Amino acid sequence: MKLREEELHIPAPAGPIRTIVIRPVGSGPLPGVVLYTDIFQLTESTLRTARRLASSGFVVAVPEIYPHGELGGVVLEFDDEGKQRGLAGAAATTTARFDEDRIAVLDHLENRDDTTTLLATGFCLGGHLAFRAAFDPRVAATVCFYPTGLHNGALGADTADSLQRAADIHGRLLVIFGSQDPHVPADARLQTIAALYGAGLTDTEFHVYAGGEHAFMRDIGARHDPELTDLALTEAVSFFTAR
């Protein structure tokens, strides 16, 4: 499968959002997926995952999650300094700003001539952003990979109302965690699913992979689990295509 990859700067109220768009070559209109990165932004690791998703028949838009401040255009390293800079970027970004940028990227995907339905996915903090993307009635299905902060509202500069707004989700939702994720332990996962069910989202799919650590899909470092990564991507594609 050959892919076409381009870098765009999508207009948004706070300024342009650097975005990588990946799609199969020679295909007709396809579902459009906004894919949110983890705190390290547009790393080659995340882009490799985006390419794998695109090769299954999607137009995948991968925006920077910190496009407007000092981290705009910056790809962070998977080390302590990169982690601290990524966390600082989150702490400097309000929920409202994340939401503004999300609307801008979805608007772009909707207005392209090579997209059909809109979908969302993301990893870690980006999984939380994907959850909030599901509030948009245009988003038909969402897959959140080990989203952080859903249970306690931890997202950025303020406390997000994400679980409180769960009833705003009208598309299909799949949430995937690893059982050994210290950022979302069992009690946090239980709190999350209870809130989703309480909001009426009883058809939500909720998968916990035995032995999976946080960021098990990042193909760099000791946490990576290739088998679980393949399983997660296969399930995501199946879910997005409604099997």
Side-chain angles (χ1 to χ4, degrees), residues 151-223:
H151 66 291
N152 60 7
L155 179 63
D158 46 20
T159 301
D161 59 353
S162 303
L163 276 187
Q164 289 83 357
R165 290 189 58 190
D168 291 342
I169 297 175
H170 299 289
R172 294 177 299 114
L173 179 65
L174 167 61
V175 184
I176 296 176
F177 287 116
S179 67
Q180 302 302 311
D181 187 339
H183 299 286
V184 194
D187 60 338
R189 299 194 298 267
L190 181 60
Q191 185 177 342
T192 298
I193 194 63
L196 296 178
Y197 271 61
L201 274 67
T202 54
D203 286 335
T204 295
E205 292 196 30
F206 194 81
H207 299 186
V208 180
Y209 290 172
E213 298 184 50
H214 188 69
F216 67 80
M217 296 178 72
R218 184 193 303 155
D219 63 1
I220 294 174
R223 298 180 191 175

Side-chain angles (χ1 to χ4, degrees), residues 1-221:
M1 171 69 68
K2 286 192 173 183
L3 301 173
R4 186 178 77 225
E5 193 165 324
E6 59 181 332
E7 178 177 320
L8 305 177
H9 290 81
I10 295 173
I17 302 169
R18 177 175 174 249
T19 304
I20 304 298
V21 178
I22 308 167
R23 60 154 296 142
V25 171
S27 301
L30 299 168
V33 183
V34 55
L35 185 154
Y36 289 106
T37 73
D38 57 20
I39 62 172
F40 299 94
Q41 300 222 95
L42 300 179
T43 63
E44 273 300 312
S45 176
T46 295
L47 292 177
R48 282 192 288 271
T49 302
R51 292 174 189 125
R52 289 187 64 181
L53 185 58
S55 70
S56 294
F58 302 95
V59 178
V60 180
V62 192
E64 287 188 334
I65 58 175
Y66 312 131
H68 308 303
E70 65 177 21
L71 292 181
V74 175
V75 177
L76 297 172
E77 297 291 334
F78 295 124
D79 55 20
D80 288 341
E81 180 184 356
K83 178 180 178 181
Q84 293 308 313
R85 292 184 72 188
L87 292 173
T93 307
T94 64
T95 301
R97 177 57 51 77
F98 280 130
D99 288 347
E100 279 184 353
D101 288 351
R102 172 246 299 168
I103 292 169
V105 176
L106 287 174
D107 286 348
H108 170 80
L109 277 175
E110 181 183 40
N111 292 323
R112 292 176 64 98
D113 60 8
D114 60 353
T115 56
T116 55
T117 55
L118 298 186
L119 310 165
T121 191
F123 307 88
C124 188
L125 182 145
H128 192 152
L129 294 177
F131 184 92
R132 294 188 67 84
F135 300 155
D136 193 307
R138 295 174 293 179
V139 175
T142 300
V143 178
C144 304
F145 295 108
Y146 37 86
T148 55
L150 286 180
H151 66 291
N152 60 7
L155 179 63
D158 46 20
T159 301
D161 59 353
S162 303
L163 276 187
Q164 289 83 357
R165 290 189 58 190
D168 291 342
I169 297 175
H170 299 289
R172 294 177 299 114
L173 179 65
L174 167 61
V175 184
I176 296 176
F177 287 116
S179 67
Q180 302 302 311
D181 187 339
H183 299 286
V184 194
D187 60 338
R189 299 194 298 267
L190 181 60
Q191 185 177 342
T192 298
I193 194 63
L196 296 178
Y197 271 61
L201 274 67
T202 54
D203 286 335
T204 295
E205 292 196 30
F206 194 81
H207 299 186
V208 180
Y209 290 172
E213 298 184 50
H214 188 69
F216 67 80
M217 296 178 72
R218 184 193 303 155
D219 63 1
I220 294 174

